[in-house]
Amino acid sequence: MSPETTKRGLDIFSLKGKSALVTGAAGLIGSEISAAMSAAGANMVLVDQLSADEISSKFAAKSDNSNGPTLAISTDITNPESVESMTTQAAERFGSVDVLVHLAAIDAKFDADAPDGADGRFETFPLDLWKRSIDVNVTGTFNVTQSIARQMLKQKSGNIILTASTYSLVGPNNDLYNSPTGNPMVKPVDYVATKSFIPNYTRYLATHYAKQGIRVNCVTPHGVENDNPEWFKENFAKMSPMGRMSSASELSGPFVFLASDASSYMTGSTLVVDGGWTAW
Ligand SMILES: NC(=O)c1ccc[n+]([C@@H]2O[C@H](COP(=O)([O-])OP(=O)(O)OC[C@H]3O[C@@H](n4cnc5c(N)ncnc54)[C@H](O)[C@@H]3O)[C@@H](O)[C@H]2O)c1
């Protein structure tokens, strides 16, 4: 460690004095990351499509609220006016948006017994579900990053963290989705297609803004446990080098690290948090 790093110690991981906006803040991962970033000292802007009261109560369930001010904003990321209003409210409240964590997305659930392509099979996958995922996962990401980038350019600094998926890097092994009782299921193409663009979109924005004080990276989570059926956890364990799913809290460190000055020389990178899934 350099003398400078030794002097500052773990302060380089602190988010004190930074304002952080999290989209998808009411979700499985978003509620955990929002609480972790607040605990690391950030002023939090919590964004989701739910009402502000619902977003706040999800946050309160995970956080003791003692760490700093929060602002909850109901936003539809597919609507550019709604997104612009989000950015304006956040900047007015905290003076800047120092960190964006963009998690909001659709990861369509599928029902083993449902007909009409809802089993996820490519040859019958419905066009309306495909378009809905493009709208939220691709256009929503464009709307949010464009609006926040404009704000960060005014500030002459900023830090954007996007959320990819294992299926941004590799195709699904559909044996994972084989239940012992139900019809065979597969991971639907809309999710894989709309998550595949994230790492290269990250590189596009990172190089575009590298000289303007704005860093852009993405995190690749995988298999975050959420009351999954036992058969799914067993399938997952057999395919995973670490032999288990992750808890949402195991993503806190990687997101806080990227949001903090500890990662100041990182931009354009994909931080993989998958228990080794893509390592073999
Ligand atoms: N859970 C996993 O195992 C996993 C694995 C890899 C990647 N990811 C990625 O992590 C991110 C978060 O996943 P999660 O599991 O917490 O999902 P989640 O469904 O629990 O949360 C997503 C949140 O996004 C919000 N949202 C959806 N559409 C919106 C819209 N139009 N406007 C505003 N908000 C909207 C939802 O209300 C929800 O709160 C996603 O980008 C997902 O692709 C998750």
Side-chain angles (χ1 to χ4, degrees), residues 23-31 47-50 58 73-79 82-83 102-107 109 135-137 140-141 144 162-168 187 191 194-195 198 219-226 228 236 245-246 248 251 255 273:
T23 71
L28 173 68
I29 298 174
S31 54
V47 171
D48 207 287
Q49 62 188 345
L50 306 184
K58 294 243 180 193
I73 310 175
S74 179
T75 305
D76 176 2
I77 64 164
T78 66
N79 177 336
S82 175
V83 169
H102 177 52
L103 288 152
I106 291 179
D107 181 357
K109 307 290 179 276
D135 203 25
V136 177
N137 297 2
T141 299
V144 170
L162 303 179
T163 315
S165 158
T166 299
Y167 301 139
S168 310
K187 188 72 182 174
Y191 186 73
T194 59
K195 282 286 156 182
I198 295 283
V219 175
T220 300
H222 185 48
V224 181
E225 201 170 333
N226 184 26
N228 305 89
F236 193 100
M245 299 182 74
S246 83
L251 290 163
F255 274 96
V273 189

XYZ file of all heavy atoms in Angstrom, residues 23-31 47-50 58 73-79 82-83 102-107 109 135-137 140-141 144 162-168 187 191 194-195 198 219-226 228 236 245-246 248 251 255 273, ligand 1:
514
model
N -32.075 2.655 -8.824
C -33.344 2.269 -9.469
C -33.610 0.798 -9.158
O -32.669 0.020 -8.960
C -33.316 2.451 -10.996
O -32.449 1.442 -11.559
C -32.829 3.827 -11.417
N -34.901 0.448 -9.085
C -35.237 -0.924 -8.665
C -34.996 -1.097 -7.169
O -34.769 -2.205 -6.688
N -35.084 0.040 -6.436
C -34.710 0.047 -5.009
C -35.632 -0.817 -4.155
O -35.259 -1.196 -3.047
C -34.713 1.481 -4.489
N -36.847 -1.106 -4.658
C -37.771 -1.917 -3.862
C -37.606 -3.406 -4.141
O -38.271 -4.231 -3.522
C -39.211 -1.489 -4.155
N -36.724 -3.761 -5.043
C -36.581 -5.165 -5.451
C -35.695 -5.977 -4.527
O -35.157 -5.473 -3.534
N -35.542 -7.234 -4.876
C -34.751 -8.182 -4.067
C -33.338 -7.656 -3.826
O -32.877 -7.567 -2.681
C -34.710 -9.526 -4.820
C -33.805 -10.616 -4.264
C -34.334 -11.117 -2.927
C -33.693 -11.780 -5.255
N -32.635 -7.301 -4.890
C -31.255 -6.831 -4.756
C -31.243 -5.346 -4.374
O -30.470 -4.915 -3.521
C -30.475 -7.055 -6.074
C -30.419 -8.558 -6.394
C -29.065 -6.480 -5.991
C -29.798 -8.893 -7.749
N -32.147 -4.554 -4.975
C -32.150 -3.111 -4.748
C -32.360 -2.726 -3.299
O -31.738 -1.782 -2.795
N -33.242 -3.447 -2.590
C -33.497 -3.087 -1.188
C -32.255 -3.361 -0.345
O -31.934 -2.614 0.575
C -34.727 -3.820 -0.644
O -34.590 -5.204 -0.830
N -35.520 4.749 -6.011
C -36.404 4.873 -7.174
C -36.984 3.513 -7.538
O -36.263 2.511 -7.593
C -35.608 5.439 -8.378
C -36.426 5.379 -9.651
C -35.143 6.855 -8.093
N -38.290 3.492 -7.771
C -38.935 2.260 -8.254
C -40.269 2.658 -8.878
O -40.690 3.808 -8.765
C -39.143 1.257 -7.101
C -39.182 -0.177 -7.589
O -40.202 -0.579 -8.213
O -38.197 -0.911 -7.392
N -40.949 1.692 -9.507
C -42.252 2.010 -10.092
C -43.363 1.980 -9.044
O -44.487 2.391 -9.315
C -42.582 1.044 -11.228
C -42.697 -0.406 -10.789
C -42.831 -1.375 -11.952
O -43.119 -0.953 -13.070
N -42.641 -2.648 -11.705
N -43.068 1.482 -7.844
C -44.058 1.481 -6.759
C -44.263 2.910 -6.253
O -43.521 3.817 -6.617
C -43.573 0.599 -5.598
C -43.176 -0.851 -5.938
C -42.807 -1.598 -4.660
C -44.290 -1.563 -6.671
N -40.264 -0.481 2.200
C -39.330 -1.584 1.871
C -37.941 -1.244 2.388
O -37.214 -2.092 2.891
C -39.249 -1.801 0.356
C -40.534 -2.304 -0.257
C -40.358 -3.663 -0.870
C -41.668 -4.132 -1.467
N -41.693 -5.525 -1.803
N -38.673 8.167 -4.780
C -39.339 8.742 -5.955
C -39.955 7.629 -6.797
O -39.246 6.727 -7.248
C -38.358 9.536 -6.849
C -37.541 10.540 -6.034
C -39.112 10.254 -7.952
C -36.474 11.279 -6.848
N -41.269 7.717 -6.997
C -41.943 6.759 -7.880
C -41.667 7.155 -9.332
O -41.949 8.289 -9.733
C -43.445 6.787 -7.592
O -44.098 5.890 -8.450
N -41.102 6.241 -10.095
C -40.674 6.555 -11.472
C -40.930 5.360 -12.372
O -40.698 4.218 -11.960
C -39.150 6.846 -11.494
O -38.862 7.870 -10.555
C -38.657 7.246 -12.865
N -41.370 5.641 -13.601
C -41.445 4.582 -14.616
C -40.262 4.795 -15.561
O -40.248 5.769 -16.319
C -42.773 4.663 -15.363
C -42.858 3.642 -16.491
O -41.908 2.844 -16.668
O -43.877 3.660 -17.209
N -39.308 3.894 -15.529
C -38.076 4.119 -16.316
C -38.310 4.030 -17.827
O -37.438 4.411 -18.607
C -36.920 3.177 -15.904
C -37.264 1.717 -16.185
C -36.517 3.414 -14.462
C -36.046 0.787 -16.158
N -39.484 3.538 -18.254
C -39.765 3.492 -19.696
C -40.253 4.853 -20.208
O -40.391 5.049 -21.411
C -40.821 2.422 -20.051
O -42.074 2.805 -19.482
C -40.418 1.053 -19.547
N -40.540 5.768 -19.273
C -41.114 7.068 -19.637
C -40.067 8.174 -19.426
O -39.714 8.499 -18.298
C -42.341 7.292 -18.733
C -42.996 8.636 -18.964
O -42.360 9.583 -19.440
N -44.256 8.724 -18.611
N -40.896 10.966 -16.925
C -40.847 10.488 -15.539
C -39.391 10.404 -15.072
O -39.052 10.788 -13.945
C -41.542 9.111 -15.483
O -41.442 8.530 -14.231
N -38.511 9.940 -15.937
C -37.088 9.792 -15.593
C -36.443 11.172 -15.412
O -35.657 11.390 -14.481
C -36.360 8.968 -16.681
C -34.857 9.026 -16.489
C -36.854 7.527 -16.662
N -28.103 1.269 -11.301
C -29.302 0.970 -12.096
C -29.578 -0.540 -12.063
O -28.875 -1.328 -12.696
C -29.097 1.452 -13.539
C -30.252 1.132 -14.436
N -31.554 1.469 -14.125
C -30.313 0.480 -15.628
C -32.353 1.043 -15.087
N -31.627 0.443 -16.010
N -30.623 -0.878 -11.313
C -30.997 -2.294 -11.158
C -32.351 -2.613 -11.785
O -32.633 -3.785 -12.083
C -31.088 -2.646 -9.665
C -29.781 -2.732 -8.879
C -30.019 -2.395 -7.415
C -29.175 -4.113 -8.990
N -33.226 -1.612 -11.948
C -34.601 -1.877 -12.377
C -34.619 -2.639 -13.699
O -33.946 -2.258 -14.654
C -35.365 -0.561 -12.528
N -35.360 -3.720 -13.724
C -35.454 -4.552 -14.936
C -36.570 -5.557 -14.761
O -37.058 -5.777 -13.648
C -34.126 -5.285 -15.177
N -36.956 -6.161 -15.872
C -37.893 -7.293 -15.835
C -37.105 -8.564 -16.041
O -36.334 -8.686 -16.984
C -38.934 -7.183 -16.964
C -39.866 -6.018 -16.710
C -39.710 -8.483 -17.108
C -40.899 -5.851 -17.796
N -37.279 -9.486 -15.104
C -36.739 -10.837 -15.276
C -37.983 -11.723 -15.250
O -38.382 -12.203 -14.193
C -35.773 -11.156 -14.125
C -35.164 -12.540 -14.257
O -35.521 -13.266 -15.201
O -34.336 -12.890 -13.400
N -40.944 -14.050 -14.982
C -41.107 -15.361 -14.366
C -41.970 -16.192 -15.308
O -42.795 -15.670 -16.041
C -41.798 -15.227 -13.001
C -41.121 -14.238 -12.079
C -39.778 -14.748 -11.592
C -39.062 -13.770 -10.690
N -38.282 -12.734 -11.407
N -38.455 -2.714 -23.863
C -38.874 -1.400 -23.377
C -38.276 -1.095 -21.996
O -37.734 -0.023 -21.764
C -40.409 -1.388 -23.307
C -40.959 0.016 -23.363
O -40.275 0.899 -23.899
O -42.078 0.231 -22.852
N -38.375 -2.060 -21.089
C -37.899 -1.817 -19.711
C -36.378 -1.988 -19.629
O -35.667 -1.113 -19.136
C -38.599 -2.763 -18.703
C -38.031 -2.554 -17.298
C -40.102 -2.541 -18.716
N -35.873 -3.111 -20.125
C -34.466 -3.458 -19.855
C -33.472 -2.705 -20.753
O -32.372 -2.401 -20.310
C -34.248 -4.972 -20.016
C -35.064 -5.783 -19.019
O -35.829 -5.232 -18.226
N -34.922 -7.091 -19.044
N -35.333 1.491 -21.036
C -35.304 2.025 -19.663
C -33.877 2.340 -19.229
O -33.614 3.381 -18.605
N -32.938 1.474 -19.567
C -31.523 1.720 -19.230
C -31.002 2.948 -19.971
O -30.296 3.788 -19.405
C -30.678 0.474 -19.575
O -31.164 -0.618 -18.792
C -29.205 0.685 -19.294
N -32.567 6.179 -18.311
C -31.989 6.499 -16.997
C -30.547 6.999 -17.153
O -30.171 8.028 -16.594
C -32.043 5.263 -16.057
C -31.227 5.507 -14.790
C -33.490 4.925 -15.704
N -24.112 -0.237 -13.646
C -25.225 -0.938 -14.277
C -25.250 -2.384 -13.777
O -24.297 -2.850 -13.133
C -25.093 -0.887 -15.802
C -25.009 0.518 -16.399
C -24.851 0.464 -17.914
C -26.242 1.340 -16.030
N -26.327 -3.101 -14.106
C -26.449 -4.483 -13.635
C -26.614 -5.419 -14.818
O -27.618 -5.353 -15.539
C -27.637 -4.637 -12.678
O -27.612 -3.557 -11.750
C -27.540 -5.955 -11.925
N -25.619 -6.246 -15.007
C -25.678 -7.261 -16.061
C -26.224 -8.556 -15.457
O -26.905 -8.541 -14.414
C -24.281 -7.462 -16.640
N -25.951 -9.668 -16.085
C -26.382 -10.977 -15.598
C -25.390 -12.000 -16.138
O -24.681 -11.732 -17.119
C -27.781 -11.284 -16.144
O -28.031 -12.674 -16.125
N -25.378 -13.157 -15.527
C -24.582 -14.249 -16.094
C -24.943 -14.460 -17.564
O -24.091 -14.785 -18.382
C -24.873 -15.551 -15.319
O -24.493 -15.313 -13.981
C -24.114 -16.729 -15.864
N -26.259 -14.207 -17.856
C -26.708 -14.420 -19.231
C -26.355 -13.250 -20.147
O -26.760 -13.216 -21.310
C -28.204 -14.744 -19.240
C -28.512 -15.979 -18.413
C -29.619 -16.045 -17.579
C -27.655 -17.080 -18.452
C -29.874 -17.166 -16.812
C -27.896 -18.205 -17.681
C -29.009 -18.245 -16.864
O -29.256 -19.356 -16.105
N -25.583 -12.279 -19.606
C -24.915 -11.292 -20.468
C -23.606 -11.880 -20.986
O -23.006 -11.357 -21.928
C -24.552 -10.025 -19.681
O -25.636 -9.520 -18.960
N -34.940 -20.827 -19.844
C -34.820 -19.387 -19.572
C -35.251 -18.643 -20.822
O -34.718 -18.883 -21.911
C -33.361 -19.064 -19.240
C -33.156 -17.646 -18.759
C -33.707 -17.451 -17.379
C -33.568 -16.033 -16.884
N -34.229 -15.829 -15.594
N -34.993 -12.126 -21.740
C -34.067 -11.743 -20.659
C -32.622 -11.823 -21.135
O -31.829 -10.905 -20.922
C -34.296 -12.640 -19.439
C -33.478 -12.199 -18.235
C -33.831 -11.051 -17.514
C -32.354 -12.912 -17.824
C -33.084 -10.629 -16.425
C -31.605 -12.492 -16.738
C -31.972 -11.350 -16.037
O -31.225 -10.938 -14.957
N -31.901 -8.988 -23.635
C -31.879 -7.615 -23.106
C -30.812 -7.418 -22.034
O -30.519 -6.288 -21.660
C -33.256 -7.200 -22.541
O -33.633 -8.111 -21.501
C -34.307 -7.192 -23.637
N -30.246 -8.492 -21.524
C -29.128 -8.358 -20.579
C -27.780 -8.432 -21.306
O -26.767 -7.977 -20.784
C -29.210 -9.457 -19.511
C -30.240 -9.164 -18.443
C -29.735 -8.076 -17.510
C -30.838 -7.340 -16.812
N -30.341 -6.256 -15.958
N -25.660 -5.155 -21.845
C -25.188 -4.332 -20.715
C -23.650 -4.201 -20.651
O -23.135 -3.072 -20.540
C -25.751 -4.848 -19.367
C -27.280 -4.697 -19.321
C -25.083 -4.154 -18.179
C -27.810 -3.304 -19.053
N -22.022 -4.702 -12.639
C -21.904 -5.883 -11.772
C -22.697 -7.007 -12.419
O -23.762 -6.784 -12.994
C -22.467 -5.585 -10.357
C -22.454 -6.845 -9.487
C -21.674 -4.470 -9.685
N -22.159 -8.218 -12.334
C -22.853 -9.396 -12.854
C -23.220 -10.328 -11.698
O -22.393 -11.130 -11.267
C -21.926 -10.152 -13.834
O -21.602 -9.271 -14.905
C -22.576 -11.387 -14.404
N -24.439 -10.192 -11.182
C -24.866 -11.129 -10.129
C -25.309 -12.449 -10.758
O -25.513 -12.534 -11.970
C -26.081 -10.447 -9.498
C -26.243 -9.117 -10.186
C -25.489 -9.203 -11.476
N -25.488 -13.464 -9.919
C -26.064 -14.719 -10.426
C -26.685 -15.506 -9.289
O -26.090 -15.622 -8.217
C -24.982 -15.572 -11.095
C -25.508 -16.823 -11.743
N -26.603 -16.817 -12.579
C -25.105 -18.117 -11.684
C -26.844 -18.043 -13.014
N -25.953 -18.854 -12.477
N -27.895 -16.007 -9.529
C -28.520 -16.949 -8.599
C -28.716 -16.421 -7.196
O -28.283 -17.044 -6.224
N -29.388 -15.269 -7.099
C -29.628 -14.696 -5.771
C -30.852 -15.385 -5.159
O -31.935 -15.379 -5.738
C -29.857 -13.171 -5.871
C -30.090 -12.588 -4.493
C -28.663 -12.508 -6.551
N -30.656 -15.954 -3.992
C -31.711 -16.780 -3.386
C -32.928 -15.946 -2.999
O -32.802 -14.848 -2.466
C -31.148 -17.488 -2.149
C -31.977 -18.697 -1.816
C -31.357 -19.583 -0.754
O -30.120 -19.597 -0.607
O -32.146 -20.255 -0.088
N -34.104 -16.499 -3.310
C -35.352 -15.757 -3.087
C -36.489 -16.762 -2.910
O -37.361 -16.865 -3.761
C -35.601 -14.848 -4.311
C -36.802 -13.962 -4.135
O -37.186 -13.647 -3.015
N -37.410 -13.561 -5.250
N -36.517 -19.910 -3.358
C -36.584 -20.820 -4.515
C -36.964 -22.233 -4.048
O -36.618 -22.626 -2.939
C -35.219 -20.890 -5.218
C -34.723 -19.528 -5.597
O -34.058 -18.875 -4.818
N -35.063 -19.083 -6.778
N -29.055 -25.973 -8.983
C -28.075 -24.880 -9.007
C -26.771 -25.332 -8.356
O -25.675 -25.110 -8.886
C -28.647 -23.649 -8.279
C -27.852 -22.392 -8.514
C -28.277 -21.459 -9.442
C -26.666 -22.153 -7.827
C -27.544 -20.296 -9.674
C -25.922 -21.007 -8.058
C -26.362 -20.076 -8.986
N -26.359 -21.094 -4.101
C -26.798 -19.780 -4.588
C -26.179 -18.695 -3.699
O -25.575 -19.003 -2.669
C -28.328 -19.695 -4.549
C -29.000 -20.737 -5.425
S -30.802 -20.600 -5.423
C -31.023 -19.146 -6.447
N -26.363 -17.433 -4.120
C -25.833 -16.354 -3.276
C -26.976 -15.726 -2.489
O -28.148 -15.857 -2.847
C -25.145 -15.285 -4.136
O -26.079 -14.374 -4.652
N -28.598 -12.030 -1.253
C -28.557 -10.660 -1.795
C -27.477 -9.845 -1.092
O -26.811 -9.005 -1.709
C -29.927 -9.998 -1.638
N -23.935 -9.208 -2.448
C -23.696 -8.226 -3.513
C -23.370 -6.845 -2.955
O -22.921 -5.959 -3.688
C -24.932 -8.131 -4.416
C -25.170 -9.366 -5.275
C -26.590 -9.378 -5.814
C -24.164 -9.411 -6.426
N -21.025 -3.766 -4.873
C -21.659 -2.506 -5.296
C -21.061 -1.320 -4.538
O -20.775 -0.273 -5.135
C -23.182 -2.562 -5.094
C -23.934 -3.167 -6.251
C -24.299 -4.508 -6.254
C -24.288 -2.400 -7.354
C -24.986 -5.076 -7.319
C -24.982 -2.951 -8.433
C -25.334 -4.296 -8.414
N -19.913 -11.598 -10.003
C -20.168 -12.083 -8.634
C -21.070 -13.309 -8.772
O -22.276 -13.254 -8.513
C -20.852 -10.986 -7.784
C -20.915 -11.406 -6.306
C -20.110 -9.651 -7.903
N -31.982 -11.978 -8.824
C -30.982 -12.519 -9.498
O -30.604 -13.674 -9.249
C -30.257 -11.725 -10.556
C -29.204 -12.335 -11.232
C -28.528 -11.616 -12.213
C -28.898 -10.316 -12.492
N -29.936 -9.755 -11.817
C -30.292 -8.375 -12.162
O -30.343 -7.585 -10.983
C -31.328 -6.567 -11.123
C -32.289 -6.617 -9.955
O -32.878 -7.901 -9.913
P -33.844 -8.362 -8.730
O -33.710 -9.818 -8.606
O -33.664 -7.490 -7.540
O -35.255 -8.074 -9.417
P -36.626 -7.615 -8.747
O -37.697 -8.001 -9.713
O -36.738 -8.076 -7.335
O -36.475 -6.025 -8.734
C -36.587 -5.259 -9.900
C -37.241 -3.930 -9.510
O -37.353 -3.141 -10.694
C -38.590 -2.451 -10.628
N -39.047 -2.097 -11.976
C -39.449 -2.937 -12.969
N -39.883 -2.237 -14.017
C -39.741 -0.915 -13.706
C -40.048 0.298 -14.377
N -40.602 0.311 -15.604
N -39.759 1.456 -13.752
C -39.224 1.476 -12.507
N -38.930 0.351 -11.801
C -39.200 -0.828 -12.399
C -39.543 -3.446 -9.968
O -40.669 -2.782 -9.385
C -38.653 -4.120 -8.933
O -38.743 -3.504 -7.648
C -31.971 -6.785 -12.486
O -31.361 -5.916 -13.416
C -31.657 -8.234 -12.810
O -31.592 -8.463 -14.194
C -30.630 -10.424 -10.862
